[in-house]
Amino acid sequence: MTKRISSDGAGGLQLPDGTRVQTDQSGGFSLPNGAYVRRDRSGALNLPNGSRCVPDNQGGYVCP
């Protein structure tokens, strides 16, 4: 099942569970549990579990 991380319209992101997070200067962010999600050079988000969420061209990301 594909999940989506979407832009919240205020410079942050809304996670699939509804949690909102604020991105930092590099485009990454910290999860509520303290783990860090890094944005790579291609613009994808690399989750702590090893999954990679790719940009969806709508300001969000599609995750496996």
Side-chain angles (χ1 to χ4, degrees):
M1 183 172 150
T2 303
K3 295 180 182 179
R4 188 167 186 279
I5 297 174
S6 58
S7 171
D8 70 1
L13 297 170
Q14 183 173 350
L15 304 179
D17 68 359
T19 302
R20 293 182 189 275
V21 294
Q22 188 63 42
T23 57
D24 59 23
Q25 292 177 348
S26 68
F29 57 90
S30 292
L31 294 171
N33 67 5
Y36 187 73
V37 175
R38 184 179 61 83
R39 186 170 179 230
D40 66 23
R41 288 183 182 187
S42 71
L45 297 174
N46 296 293
L47 304 180
N49 68 4
S51 295
R52 190 166 181 263
C53 302
V54 295
D56 66 2
N57 297 322
Q58 298 176 0
Y61 301 86
V62 176
C63 305

